[in-house]
Amino acid sequence: FGCDIKNREGRIKIRIGDILNKKNGSKVIGINDKLQNSIDTIGPNSLHSQFLRRYPQNDLDRMFSEALSSEAENGRVSMGKTFRCPMGDEEYLFLVMSELEAEKAPSTERRYLRTALESFFRNQSKFEIKDKRLYIPVLGKGSAAMRNLDYFDTVKMIAGEYVYSQCIYPNSANRIEELVIVLQLQDLFRMGCMSFVKMKKLQSDIRHMSELCSDCLMVHEA
């Protein structure tokens, strides 16, 4: 699935596959506000863990330590804080989009995710988006359930925040010209055959959002 944003140099695509294997674009990985960076303390099946296994030598520990020392309040950094981590020809962007509760798995709520996405897309010109293409997963979902937002609403929120940003920041330098939302096939199968019916509805909703972006500001959609 793919659609252009009306009257803007922007395009949204939905693809199925492994985001870490995608080429010719920057990739987003979600992290928690305490910047945990150990396979022993983050989900073993998370993209973050997969990254650490693929790239055991990286600069994340240094960047996270510096941020916690200089920017953190009560040992937490703000939602939407983004860390750029190039690895050879690959470009990764670590986005803070969940809150870590004491001795519990990180939790992502609608307000956290929206705040993170708004901040990220508002500041997109500050990042080096490779080939002006951004790969983003269904943040906060993976194998775990989000508290008050289902899988397809999450995809719709990501697309909506991108469309909104293209409307209100049309002249941003280094802007994202193509947003690719990457789904995992096992997630769709896990949700059953109705997931493919919902996918059709999702595609229709995203196409409608992209057509709303003309000369006026687009209305936020939850």
Side-chain angles (χ1 to χ4, degrees):
F1 168 78
C3 67
D4 295 320
I5 301 174
K6 186 177 180 180
N7 295 342
R8 296 291 185 269
E9 293 182 1
R11 183 170 177 81
I12 299 172
K13 292 182 178 180
I14 294 178
R15 294 290 184 264
I16 296 174
D18 183 350
I19 192 172
L20 297 184
N21 291 332
K22 298 297 183 182
K23 302 295 182 182
N24 305 317
S26 297
K27 308 169 190 179
V28 172
I29 294 179
I31 53 177
N32 64 69
D33 61 350
K34 287 194 173 181
L35 306 182
Q36 287 189 331
N37 192 44
S38 168
I39 294 177
D40 295 332
T41 55
I42 57 181
N45 297 321
S46 67
L47 283 177
H48 190 171
S49 287
Q50 294 174 45
F51 172 89
L52 293 176
R53 287 193 290 269
R54 182 173 295 197
Y55 303 108
Q57 302 297 321
N58 58 73
D59 292 329
L60 290 179
D61 279 335
R62 176 186 58 79
M63 290 189 292
F64 290 173
S65 295
E66 290 176 356
L68 289 170
S69 298
S70 61
E71 304 177 32
E73 294 184 10
N74 300 320
R76 301 177 185 273
V77 297
S78 59
M79 293 291 161
K81 173 70 177 178
T82 303
F83 299 86
R84 175 175 172 259
C85 186
M87 298 300 300
D89 293 333
E90 303 298 323
E91 183 82 17
Y92 291 90
L93 296 167
F94 286 79
L95 174 65
V96 177
M97 40 64 67
S98 63
E99 181 181 81
L100 184 66
E101 299 177 359
E103 300 180 359
K104 294 182 179 180
S107 63
T108 302
E109 299 181 5
R110 180 187 297 269
R111 58 193 174 100
Y112 297 157
L113 183 56
R114 185 178 294 285
T115 298
L117 291 170
E118 285 178 344
S119 175
F120 181 82
F121 288 126
R122 181 175 63 248
N123 295 303
Q124 61 184 272
S125 62
K126 297 180 180 179
F127 311 128
E128 295 185 22
I129 306 299
K130 186 176 181 181
D131 297 323
K132 298 186 181 297
R133 179 182 295 113
L134 184 77
Y135 294 102
I136 189 166
V138 188
L139 290 167
K141 299 303 292 183
S143 301
M146 187 178 289
R147 288 181 174 180
N148 58 356
L149 194 64
D150 75 21
Y151 193 92
F152 296 101
D153 280 344
T154 306
V155 177
K156 186 177 176 181
M157 179 186 285
I158 294 170
E161 290 296 336
Y162 171 67
V163 173
Y164 186 63
S165 74
Q166 298 299 87
C167 292
I168 62 177
Y169 308 116
N171 299 315
S172 294
N174 194 33
R175 63 206 308 268
I176 301 164
E177 294 184 358
E178 184 174 280
L179 177 74
V180 185
I181 304 174
V182 183
L183 314 183
Q184 295 188 61
L185 187 60
Q186 59 264 36
D187 288 339
L188 298 178
F189 279 124
R190 189 179 297 116
M191 291 181 285
C193 60
M194 283 302 294
S195 65
F196 296 95
V197 176
K198 292 180 179 179
M199 179 70 76
K200 289 293 184 182
K201 176 63 166 58
L202 172 68
Q203 292 172 358
S204 176
D205 289 344
I206 291 177
R207 192 177 301 280
H208 178 63
M209 285 192 295
S210 69
E211 292 171 351
L212 288 176
C213 186
S214 54
D215 295 329
C216 61
L217 297 185
M218 178 185 158
V219 178
H220 257 297
E221 288 206 19

